[in-house]
Amino acid sequence: MDFPTQLFLNGEWKDASNGATFDVVDPATGEVIAQVADATADDVRAMVEAAVAAQDEWAATPAVERAAIMHRAVRIFEDRIEELARLLSREQGKPLAQAVGEMQYGVGFIDWFAEEARRIHGSTIPATTRAKRIITIRQPLGVTACITPWNFPSLQILRKLGAALAAGCTMIVKPAELTPLSALEIARVFDDAGLPPGVLQVATSNDAPTVSAVFMADARVRGISFTGSTEVGKILMRGAADTMKRVSLELGGHAPFIVFADADMDLVVREAMAVKLRNMGQTCVSANRFFVHEDVAEEFGDRLATEFRKLIVGNPLDDGVDVGPLVEEAALVKVEAHVADALEHGARVVLGGSRVDTGADSRLFFEPTVILDADDSMLLAREETFGPVAPIFTFRDEDEVVRRANASDYGLAGYFFTRDLNRAIRVAERLEYGTVGLNDAQISAVQAPFGGVKQSGIGREGGPLGVDEYLDTKYLSVGGL
Ligand code: NAD
């Protein structure tokens, strides 16, 4: 399969200026699938110059024309979706059907934001005197940069890029070092769709601090959008202070999944399956802590284990595989440490708990795992596990479970299940999470404002609020009338 491996700089494919490359490895086989250009600081500086040069013209391009390019990109994505999904699956490890789903969802953002571009408008506000008028206009922030994680190599970029392009901003993308190939494919699609040089550029790199130092130091880069760990989000927020850049941060999560005794257990099990094992549990909105009422905890554990047992672990490109490898050895080590710690503290493994030998060279496969008798002293109660492990904690009453669910520095997504209307309203209001699923754990929607509170981040992605992240509001005071 032919795919780009060079930097995408000012509309051209280029090697790194010092010729350096880094390897991209298929986590399912351990095979090196590509050597990708490793951008130098000079390369990134050249991208900033190109973005600055392209910015005014892109901002002045009528929204319908920007939208037309975005819609052309959508059609190209649709034509290439199977091929792009295979590449995504190879570099990241999610089963092919999920990779297709990620591509469709991501491309949906480009489509939705293309429509939204024509609805970016200002306002008139009644003035206090006859001689004045107050008008607001909304203008693009300017040159922006984004840094994205490996777990959704396409989606994380498309969600940011769609909003930036709709608003009239240029964007330099620094994808995760583990999954740069999908980012380069996105650049190729937009290039083919006729996006002008410098509007989108991709700086693949194995040295994120070097690349981000260039963005951070340059006052002309007006916004930085980041998805990844809270730790790196804090570094970027501190760095943004010197030039007062806008920051948009989508950070870690530690989602509670609360099951009250009156919940519809068929629905609960279905949603638990979907939210726990998507991408092998490596998502920021994965349910990490299953708080289940003590009357139904054993039943939930048994039913979840029954469903997990049916899943096939293996190469994500093989037919029928539900669970692929984790992304790298460090991820496995963390999952193993969480399970071992839980066992030491008295938890019971109902199913799984170990690596799986699939016969491949890769040792990155972990069994879907169900753990009962988890408690709040365990590592998996405090840290993101980022793996296919479902720990079940029991609770007795509503106040207790809300307090325990909120006992986290994170506040990204939370889910709860009940058929009691009054309780539904009370709990929805009290959960300290930016995104709450009520009898629902599949919360992804292009038109909805996704994001976190507390240390899960700042800002929203998706929907009209997603575009706001890339706009400034100018207040125009008109006198002398
Ligand atoms: P990470 O923070 O290590 O890496 C994310 C990106 O930041 C990568 O591109 C990486 O190269 C870059 N990076 C690393 N160190 C940097 C530095 N010092 N300066 C600038 N950039 C740097 O996170 P990860 O391990 O790739 O991703 C997993 C984390 O991302 C989890 O915490 C997960 O919850 C979070 N996440 C959040 C969301 C969300 O929408 N809130 C979505 C997906 C993942």
Side-chain angles (χ1 to χ4, degrees):
M1 179 180 167
D2 149 56
F3 48 79
T5 56
Q6 293 170 294
L7 308 176
F8 189 60
L9 194 165
N10 200 16
E12 289 179 12
W13 296 100
K14 292 209 157 151
D15 289 332
S17 47
N18 64 0
T21 60
F22 62 98
D23 291 346
V24 181
V25 176
D26 178 341
T29 61
E31 182 195 344
V32 173
I33 47 178
Q35 265 139 2
V36 167
D38 194 357
T40 64
D42 281 344
D43 296 326
V44 184
R45 276 190 278 273
M47 289 188 188
V48 174
E49 293 305 330
V52 169
Q55 177 57 45
D56 285 353
E57 182 54 29
W58 182 243
T61 303
V64 285
E65 289 178 28
R66 279 189 269 122
I69 296 173
M70 294 169 76
H71 278 136
R72 270 205 299 280
V74 169
R75 288 193 293 276
I76 299 172
F77 275 120
E78 283 166 356
D79 287 347
R80 298 183 190 164
I81 210 147
E82 193 68 30
E83 188 188 332
L84 297 191
R86 288 187 84 79
L87 186 65
L88 193 167
S89 181
R90 279 199 80 194
E91 67 173 340
Q92 194 264 318
K94 63 170 57 89
L96 186 56
Q98 289 186 32
V100 171
E102 175 180 340
M103 289 301 311
Q104 287 167 334
Y105 180 41
V107 172
F109 280 97
I110 302 298
D111 191 44
W112 196 89
F113 283 125
E115 300 293 318
E116 191 66 0
R118 64 173 80 200
R119 289 190 280 271
I120 297 171
H121 36 66
S123 62
T124 58
I125 301 170
T128 34
T129 72
R130 288 167 191 248
K132 281 200 165 196
R133 298 291 182 271
I134 294 174
I135 298 168
T136 67
I137 56 176
R138 294 205 294 161
Q139 295 179 305
L141 195 55
V143 174
T144 65
C146 77
I147 301 178
T148 53
W150 49 265
N151 62 350
F152 290 92
S154 275
L155 163 67
Q156 302 289 8
I157 295 170
L158 293 170
R159 180 154 69 178
K160 297 177 191 301
L161 181 64
L165 296 180
C169 293
T170 56
M171 180 170 258
I172 303 170
V173 176
K174 204 301 282 174
E177 50 278 31
L178 293 175
T179 57
L181 301 175
S182 296
L184 294 170
E185 283 286 16
I186 288 170
R188 178 152 74 167
V189 168
F190 276 95
D191 191 30
D192 292 350
L195 192 70
V199 176
L200 162 65
Q201 301 177 89
V202 180
T204 48
S205 164
N206 200 21
D207 180 0
T210 294
V211 173
S212 79
V214 175
F215 301 153
M216 287 302 161
D218 199 313
R220 296 170 301 172
V221 177
R222 295 305 315 133
I224 178 109
S225 178
F226 171 74
T227 299
S229 60
T230 295
E231 187 193 352
V232 174
K234 289 180 183 177
I235 295 173
L236 294 173
M237 192 165 170
R238 283 187 205 107
D242 284 341
T243 54
M244 224 28 104
K245 285 184 210 320
R246 175 93 53 90
V247 290
S248 174
L249 305 171
E250 298 289 341
L251 309 176
H254 197 30
F257 183 109
I258 303 170
V259 183
F260 287 98
D262 66 345
D264 171 347
M265 197 50 87
D266 291 340
L267 173 69
V268 167
V269 173
R270 227 176 27 245
E271 294 297 293
M273 289 288 294
V275 73
K276 182 67 251 184
L277 289 186
R278 189 155 70 105
N279 206 18
M280 291 68 74
Q282 302 170 115
T283 90
C284 53
V285 296
S286 288
N288 269 331
R289 296 170 292 155
F290 288 86
F291 291 106
V292 185
H293 190 275
E294 58 185 7
D295 291 350
V296 292
E298 287 284 339
E299 179 195 352
F300 172 70
D302 287 346
R303 289 188 58 176
L304 196 62
T306 302
E307 295 303 317
F308 275 13
R309 217 172 263 121
K310 296 176 189 162
L311 301 174
I312 298 172
V313 181
N315 189 308
L317 291 178
D318 288 348
D319 275 350
V321 163
D322 306 291
V323 180
L326 296 199
V327 74
E328 60 179 344
E329 179 64 21
L332 259 288
V333 169
K334 183 174 186 190
V335 172
E336 287 178 322
H338 278 203
V339 172
D341 173 80
L343 294 183
E344 264 168 45
H345 287 84
R348 277 184 286 149
V349 169
V350 183
L351 180 75
S354 310
R355 293 189 191 225
V356 185
D357 182 0
T358 61
D361 285 343
S362 164
R363 292 200 61 246
L364 300 182
F365 297 89
F366 199 83
E367 292 173 289
T369 297
V370 178
I371 289 179
L372 268 169
D373 300 338
D375 72 45
D376 298 355
S377 71
M378 296 171 185
L379 267 181
L380 40 69
R382 300 194 303 273
E383 291 176 13
E384 272 181 300
T385 306
F386 243 57
V389 178
I392 300 172
F393 305 73
T394 56
F395 70 93
R396 283 209 179 88
D397 69 59
E398 184 181 311
D399 279 346
E400 173 208 340
V401 76
V402 169
R403 183 177 43 74
R404 289 169 65 196
N406 285 341
S408 169
D409 289 336
Y410 295 115
L412 189 59
Y415 316 96
F416 72 104
F417 293 78
T418 181
R419 286 191 268 209
D420 177 332
L421 175 64
N422 290 353
R423 175 190 285 142
I425 291 172
R426 282 193 305 270
V427 174
E429 288 176 354
R430 291 176 67 197
L431 283 177
E432 296 168 356
Y433 290 84
T435 305
V436 171
L438 163 57
N439 295 326
D440 183 23
Q442 301 184 67
I443 47 162
S444 305
V446 295
Q447 65 275 43
F450 173 71
V453 297
K454 293 169 40 182
Q455 295 188 33
S456 286
I458 294 175
R460 293 292 178 265
E461 291 194 321
L465 290 181
V467 188
D468 285 355
E469 302 283 321
Y470 296 90
L471 293 169
D472 274 326
T473 298
K474 182 176 285 173
Y475 154 41
L476 185 62
S477 182
V478 185
L481 284 132

